[in-house]
Amino acid sequence: MYTQALDLPNPDGDSAGNANVVAMNARSEPHSDALQASFDAKVDADEKIEPRDWMPDAYRKTLVRQISQHAHSEIVGMLPEGNWISRAPSLKRKAILIAKVQDEGGHGLYLYSAAETLGTSRDQMLDALHSGKAKYSSIFNYPTLNWADVGVIGWLVDGAAIMNQIPLCRCSYGPYARAMIRVCKEESFHQRQGYEALLVMMQGNEAQKTMVQDAVNRWWWKCLAMFGPPDANSPHSAQGMRWGIKRISNDDLRQKFIDATVPQANVLGISLPDPQLKWNEERGHYDHGEIDWDEFWATVNGNGPCNKERLATRVKAWNDGEWVRDAAIAHARKQAQRDLKEAA
Ligand code: 3HC
């Protein structure tokens, strides 16, 4: 249901396109040297690959993996901040936070739609999320303990997301690249609202300044880990770069993020919790300390502080929403029947 992939080639598909999608998944691409050469030439020439173009099975699979993980991250990412909507300190902050959380839901929708153009249904992707098989970003498995966390998520988490996602606007797969353009514009607003909320808190009393510093201390290292494992331990990077899906490596993006964020922290008047953080004149970058990769992998593999809670909340939302989906489908069927009658 809800698939965008209604034009996939299978006349036996149901009205929602489900069988079409399953058939598309099951099919293996016909392969020939000429098809491969034409695909490679397009990628080399920086042209976009579109849904109807021939593509290698592994390219399709990699995109479905990455785009669906990304979509899941957006909708699970609504939860830590959603917790604060009813506790926002003013009407203005509440309105901003509602808009931001709603934007994240929208990003999930664009991304699920982009993944559907590759022949995987939204039901399949959500099934993988709800059964715990699919990954989503490690960062959303940490708790939001006070209001400053909401500002820090905007500044650092969305800031890291933008750094990672701007290069994806140039990704070789057309629907993903185009979705990312709008996502990045909205993420930019998210980052700015977070930074502005923190600037206001930093002009407040000592308790407010302490809250900001505490939140930064808790989130800094987790945000650096968001960019993924070091390049040397990143199994998908080399092929992702070759295919033009990834444009900048995990470590290079992490470095860009650190270099951009240190001056912002100085303006804010907070310190970053890394004694080894130091400008290296020779490299033209900040040196930094070691990330705790054991903690990162434990979280990615389901054992972070909030993994179980996040998944349970998603599953409950899916189950509670069943009547809405049923009603939407019944309405669409009625509408289609009415349109048919009028056309006859
Ligand atoms: N959290 C969870 N898993 C992660 C991760 C993270 N921060 N970083 C890497 N991984 C996983 C990968 O998914 C992969 O797992 P798999 O083989 O089971 O699929 C494994 O670790 C190895 O990592 P690689 O570096 O080899 O994998 P990739 O080449 O896919 O690179 C990535 C990882 C940089 C996250 C890349 O997939 C990517 O750019 N994805 C798109 C952006 C995205 O998903 N961002 C998530 C945050 S979205 C967000 O924050 C919402 C915003 O509103 C704040």
Side-chain angles (χ1 to χ4, degrees), residues 65 69 104 135 138 164 187 226 234 236 246 250:
R65 176 188 66 80
Q69 285 179 4
E104 307 297 4
K135 286 198 171 74
S138 50
N164 164 270
E187 291 296 356
M226 264 177 88
S234 160
H236 302 300
K246 256 180 153 160
N250 296 2

Side-chain angles (χ1 to χ4, degrees), residues 12-24:
D12 299 324
D14 66 18
S15 60
N18 283 333
N20 289 354
V21 167
V22 173
M24 182 88 174

Side-chain angles (χ1 to χ4, degrees), residues 111-169:
L111 289 163
Y112 284 124
S113 299
E116 281 176 316
T117 65
L118 292 154
T120 297
S121 75
R122 198 169 303 188
D123 278 353
Q124 287 173 309
M125 291 184 266
L126 288 173
D127 234 29
L129 174 66
H130 297 155
S131 61
K133 277 188 236 141
K135 286 198 171 74
Y136 58 85
S137 183
S138 50
I139 197 73
F140 301 119
N141 291 305
Y142 299 100
T144 37
L145 301 182
N146 67 49
W147 174 252
D149 287 42
V150 174
V152 169
I153 288 180
W155 175 38
L156 294 180
V157 174
D158 292 85
I162 297 171
M163 196 57 91
N164 164 270
Q165 292 172 15
I166 294 277
L168 292 173
C169 299

Side-chain angles (χ1 to χ4, degrees), residues 271-304:
S271 62
L272 295 168
D274 178 359
Q276 285 167 264
L277 193 65
K278 200 166 168 257
W279 180 252
N280 182 324
E281 198 61 53
E282 211 173 301
R283 290 198 317 119
H285 293 293
Y286 281 91
D287 289 337
H288 60 90
E290 194 45 41
I291 293 163
D292 183 347
W293 291 110
D294 290 341
E295 198 265 351
F296 167 78
W297 286 117
T299 303
V300 170
N301 291 323
N303 299 312

Side-chain angles (χ1 to χ4, degrees), residues 70-92:
H70 191 167
H72 299 329
S73 303
E74 299 284 354
I75 61 162
V76 177
M78 296 167 78
L79 303 177
E81 290 179 290
N83 280 340
W84 279 91
I85 290 175
S86 60
R87 292 176 285 170
S90 68
L91 183 59
K92 175 183 150 187

Side-chain angles (χ1 to χ4, degrees), residues 88-118:
S90 68
L91 183 59
K92 175 183 150 187
R93 295 290 170 203
K94 190 193 285 272
I96 293 172
L97 188 56
I98 290 172
K100 177 185 189 299
V101 171
Q102 210 168 346
D103 281 355
E104 307 297 4
H107 298 172
L109 297 186
Y110 314 149
L111 289 163
Y112 284 124
S113 299
E116 281 176 316
T117 65
L118 292 154

